[in-house]
Amino acid sequence: MLGALGLTPDEETVYRALLSRPGTAAAELAQALAQSGSEVSAALSRLVAHGLVVRAGNGFTAAPPAVALGAMISERRDALRTAELGLAAFAEEHRAAMVGRSISELIEVITGIDAIRHRFLQLQHAARTQLRNFVTAPFIAVPPGENTGEDAAIDRGVEVRVVIERSALAEPRTFHETVASLHNGVKVRVVKELPMKLVLADADIGLVPLAAEPYGEPGAVLLHRSGLLAALDALFESTWQHAHPLDLSIAGTDPAAADDLTERQPDGITPLDRKILALLVAGLTDQAVATQLNLSLRTLQRHLRRLMDLAVVDNRMQLGWYAAHQGWA
């Protein structure tokens, strides 16, 4: 709770214990907290230095929280104000420096699969708050299942958003990776087509693969903060707004692995029905949906027929609309 003020968990524990035990000696406090005497003594020394604890004879007493902690909070608040002023000054210095930079400093051309893969992972590690991707096939530098940078970014608390092209989602390896990403907290949306592959780390840097000649070496462009990068930022956000969201209703690719997938729920549909509808609404073909869920095409079509009868509609488009509005998918 007091970590934001620079206190360690041990220091906070000792301080809170002293609030109800004024005048307690270090040895008694260590016994009460079931900690070693050296740990408690070290914490007390630091608390005295912070002004949160004062010596009282042979013991120690906690300073009143409203006074001691209030002073620390005020100091932190003043420090943050100073940092904000510094941020504004640094931002202006950066803006002025960028105005004078040449095109070659703002755009870096990368050639070769290994170099692109290296830059792709570097860019993900550089993200501090958000990471945004356009995913399309074919996968040349980083095949599905080999993107270790995404998990590392999520572990750091980075928000990851992905827009995936419908044809890419229909591929089994991409589908399985997408399900794993959903489980990890990645936000995923689907569109019919994307204009390019794209990776954006915050609003500071982006990576755009270049179209390669049939027998040529693949390349990519690394973009630093510039008008072009701002345009790509806007392109991602616009595409994201119009893309169809995917959620964990598509998770699980083996219907036989769970006994409750065919159990009817109060609204008349099953968990397997929800998986089918989620992929249907995302725009996948019947064959692609059947492949992802390990169903025969005939079995899938039988499920769709039953769902259309349940929704009282005549075709897949009407079923998708009905499912979306009823919360089935």
Side-chain angles (χ1 to χ4, degrees), residues 12-29:
E12 181 175 342
T13 298
V14 171
Y15 177 74
R16 295 183 69 173
L18 282 176
L19 288 174
S20 58
R21 297 180 178 86
T24 303
E28 296 175 13
L29 195 59

Side-chain angles (χ1 to χ4, degrees), residues 277 280-281 305 307-308 311-326 328:
L277 289 167
L280 177 70
V281 173
R305 182 67 265 169
L307 288 168
M308 284 191 283
V312 194
V313 297
D314 299 322
N315 55 55
R316 294 168 81 258
M317 182 177 295
Q318 292 174 345
L319 176 61
W321 181 89
Y322 185 89
H325 283 76
Q326 292 297 316
W328 286 3

Side-chain angles (χ1 to χ4, degrees), residues 14-71:
V14 171
Y15 177 74
R16 295 183 69 173
L18 282 176
L19 288 174
S20 58
R21 297 180 178 86
T24 303
E28 296 175 13
L29 195 59
Q31 185 176 6
L33 296 175
Q35 295 183 4
S36 70
S38 60
E39 290 176 338
V40 171
S41 294
L44 285 169
S45 296
R46 293 191 296 267
L47 289 169
V48 169
H50 286 311
L52 293 174
V53 168
V54 295
R55 295 182 182 275
N58 294 326
F60 296 86
T61 297
V67 176
L69 293 177

Side-chain angles (χ1 to χ4, degrees), residues 13-163:
T13 298
V14 171
Y15 177 74
R16 295 183 69 173
L18 282 176
L19 288 174
S20 58
R21 297 180 178 86
T24 303
E28 296 175 13
L29 195 59
Q31 185 176 6
L33 296 175
Q35 295 183 4
S36 70
S38 60
E39 290 176 338
V40 171
S41 294
L44 285 169
S45 296
R46 293 191 296 267
L47 289 169
V48 169
H50 286 311
L52 293 174
V53 168
V54 295
R55 295 182 182 275
N58 294 326
F60 296 86
T61 297
V67 176
L69 293 177
M72 293 183 71
I73 291 172
S74 295
E75 290 175 3
R76 289 299 173 106
R77 189 179 293 119
D78 291 342
L80 285 173
R81 289 198 187 99
T82 301
E84 287 176 349
L85 294 174
L87 171 62
F90 295 155
E92 180 58 27
E93 289 178 15
H94 180 260
R95 186 199 64 77
M98 294 299 287
V99 170
R101 292 178 70 179
S102 66
I103 295 297
S104 61
E105 292 177 300
L106 296 175
I107 301 177
E108 177 186 349
V109 178
I110 306 161
T111 305
I113 291 177
D114 290 340
I116 294 172
R117 182 186 296 115
H118 179 68
R119 283 297 199 191
F120 176 70
L121 294 175
Q122 270 190 334
L123 188 146
Q124 292 181 98
H125 286 301
R128 300 182 304 277
T129 59
Q130 65 172 332
L131 189 64
R132 295 167 291 171
N133 294 351
F134 279 169
V135 177
T136 69
F139 302 96
I140 299 174
V142 185
E146 297 185 12
N147 182 13
T148 58
E150 181 180 281
D151 290 340
I154 293 171
D155 290 341
R156 296 196 309 275
V158 175
E159 179 191 54
V160 181
R161 289 186 289 155
V162 175
V163 179

Side-chain angles (χ1 to χ4, degrees), residues 70 171 260:
E171 297 186 11
D260 65 345

